Amino acid sequence: MIERKNKRVGRIGVFGVAHPVYWDQFPGLLDTLMQYHEEFKAILAKNDVEIVDYGMIDTNAKAYDALAKIQGDHPDVLMCNMLTYATSSVFAPIVRNAAQPMVLVALQPRETFDLSNGSTRIQLENDNICSVPEFTGVAIRMGKKVNDVIIGTLYGDEKAEAAIAEWCDIAKVLHDLHGARFGLMGHVLESMYDMHADPTAISAAFDVHVPLLEVDDMKAVFDEVKPEEIEAQKSVILENFDTPDPGSDPIAMKLTDADLEKAAKASVCLDHFIEKYDLTGLAYYYNAQPGSDTQAMISSLIVGNSLLNAQGIPMCGEFDIKTCIAMFIMDRLNIGGSFAEFHPIDFKEDYILVGHDGPHHIAVAEGKPVLRSLKKYHGKPGSGASVEFKLKEGPITMLGITQDGSGKLKFVIGEGMSEKGSIPPSGNTNTRGHFDPNIRDFIKKWVMAGPTHHYALGIGHRADTVAKIAEVLGIDYEIIRG
């Protein structure tokens, strides 16, 4: 029932290329190719992106004119539509100077040919691949990169359309990263060395700002929450969560009225806080004085965090801004993005429990998520309402963002399966994760890649897409596979 606060947005810049000598030689060819260009844009439009069309670029001068417009329009991804053969002079100014990732699209109108009735005109209408090696070679000579080449047919080609859709998703990630505001509040959970991050390094890597916020800033908002807002938020919470009787865990109880009240007030506070400071996401941790109002507030954020995650605003405990950004990337790919880590292994059935206490993306829950009252948050101060659910069954992707000894960021990416089966009734999220070739070998490869102990967890197998995002951002990555 929770809807995204803001629509996913991506802006794709497109332009066609060709050789202008053909226009006088083959009357009507230009019109035919531009009709193919319109049909390519119709494929793009299926992915709910903004399309900025720079038309036909068939001379070097037109390329420079288009470049000036591109630099003003700030598309997130550029797609060069290889309509027929074109000299690289129509491409070089753009690939040399444009900041956006470049994708060459070579979609041939005809799937097959009756060569006995062939003609030069038919060849030129289907010469989409001819200048692709020239373009990629010139890009490399200029020290630039073509990020992808999509090869296929213009009509009914599922593989080509899936590749186009992937880059539309990447555009949505890049669009929302640009100028995003990931707040940091409090401090690292004491002794977690892997959680520390340099805000300037984060800004440099992801083109974001990191507002440094005080817990008192949130407390001021918390104190202004009105009783009627709390009552309304209680209804929202109870509509989106079940509140079952206790299970086997002695510290997990049925949700109490008092914990529901606290969670609802904290959730309203978070909504106002995010709006007041214009935050894209928030990573936080704070102990506070035992028994204080501030501790009561901080320890009651879990439910509100999970509601905001489902609305596209990643909320991350333990001051882990790196995982907060990983969660954001997964959300903008529309695959979830829960806060996760590894839990105990079942060596007999070859699965590992994957989950965490704290914020989760309830949009990717298997069934209705659960709220329980916890008598204590294990390893942390406080008590209160906590979120429990199992991730949807099927393929899963993990993204951890870590750093090497020089501070350079790195993506650690993995794929597995969320399998059917019960999870502990502990008020924490868990799922049964299976990874090839087996749990023992996969986990060893994962930990040897030097990750942090947290990562973002999403549905579907999207490791290759996440790797493309790393390449666009200039960030090293390692994919862990069986």
Side-chain angles (χ1 to χ4, degrees), residues 369-418:
V370 162
L371 286 185
R372 299 185 190 273
S373 285
L374 298 186
K375 298 176 183 178
K376 62 185 75 176
Y377 294 135
H378 69 275
K380 305 180 187 72
S383 62
S386 190
V387 174
E388 174 186 306
F389 72 74
K390 184 178 184 293
L391 200 73
K392 286 182 178 178
E393 295 165 10
I396 55 175
T397 299
M398 304 181 300
L399 170 58
I401 302 180
T402 187
Q403 293 172 275
D404 65 15
S406 66
K408 189 175 181 181
L409 292 167
K410 174 184 173 182
F411 283 11
V412 182
I413 309 164
E415 290 180 341
M417 297 293 293
S418 171

Side-chain angles (χ1 to χ4, degrees), residues 76-345:
D76 304 301
V77 169
L78 285 172
M79 291 191 174
C80 175
N81 192 10
M82 313 295 293
L83 290 166
T84 187
Y85 174 75
T87 66
S88 49
S89 67
V90 306
F91 173 68
I94 297 175
V95 75
R96 181 189 181 280
N97 295 291
Q100 292 79 8
M102 177 68 71
V103 178
L104 304 185
V105 182
L107 299 184
Q108 189 172 289
R110 292 196 182 194
E111 185 177 25
T112 188
F113 301 94
D114 175 7
L115 298 181
S116 63
N117 291 304
S119 68
T120 302
R121 171 67 178 257
I122 292 173
Q123 176 180 319
L124 293 178
E125 288 183 9
N126 293 274
D127 240 351
N128 309 80
I129 200 65
C130 186
S131 56
V132 169
E134 181 176 341
F135 280 31
T136 56
V138 166
I140 291 170
R141 287 190 67 182
M142 290 186 161
K144 300 296 180 178
K145 184 175 184 178
V146 170
N147 295 85
D148 202 1
V149 178
I150 299 174
I151 300 170
T153 59
L154 187 58
Y155 306 110
D157 189 330
E158 292 181 1
K159 287 186 177 180
E161 292 198 19
I164 290 168
E166 178 182 48
W167 278 102
C168 290
D169 275 343
I170 292 171
K172 292 170 184 178
V173 173
L174 299 176
H175 186 278
D176 283 2
L177 267 180
H178 177 70
R181 292 169 55 83
F182 290 92
L184 271 176
M185 184 180 74
H187 57 80
V188 171
L189 196 160
E190 207 272 324
S191 299
M192 282 187 179
Y193 288 3
D194 59 336
M195 293 299 97
H196 290 276
D198 172 5
T200 301
I202 296 295
S203 294
F206 297 105
D207 191 24
V208 302
H209 178 56
V210 183
L212 302 178
L213 304 165
E214 301 290 345
V215 175
D216 285 348
D217 295 332
M218 180 177 284
K219 184 61 166 55
V221 175
F222 184 78
D223 290 341
E224 295 298 319
V225 173
K226 297 178 175 60
E228 58 269 26
E229 293 178 301
I230 298 172
E231 290 304 311
Q233 196 68 354
K234 283 183 186 179
S235 297
V236 171
I237 292 169
L238 293 176
E239 286 171 359
N240 285 280
F241 293 91
D242 280 335
T243 59
D245 291 331
S248 59
D249 192 334
I251 71 168
M253 307 178 294
K254 185 176 178 64
L255 180 69
T256 67
D257 291 341
D259 285 344
L260 175 61
E261 178 88 8
K262 289 193 300 180
K265 183 174 181 179
S267 181
V268 173
C269 167
L270 278 174
D271 289 344
H272 292 332
F273 188 72
I274 291 295
E275 183 177 357
K276 180 176 181 178
Y277 292 96
D278 190 24
L279 298 179
T280 307
L282 175 67
Y284 71 92
Y285 182 80
Y286 194 68
N287 287 318
Q289 289 296 315
S292 66
D293 289 345
T294 300
Q295 188 184 73
M297 173 190 74
I298 288 292
S299 64
S300 300
L301 299 179
I302 293 171
V303 179
N305 287 341
S306 294
L307 292 173
L308 283 169
N309 282 343
Q311 295 173 78
I313 299 177
M315 306 293 289
C316 197
E318 298 178 20
F319 208 70
D320 190 355
I321 192 170
K322 297 191 290 290
T323 300
C324 190
I325 290 175
M327 292 163 66
F328 169 89
I329 290 170
M330 287 200 162
D331 176 83
R332 293 311 190 268
L333 290 175
N334 209 31
I335 61 173
S338 277
F339 193 46
E341 64 188 7
F342 290 123
H343 288 158
I345 297 172

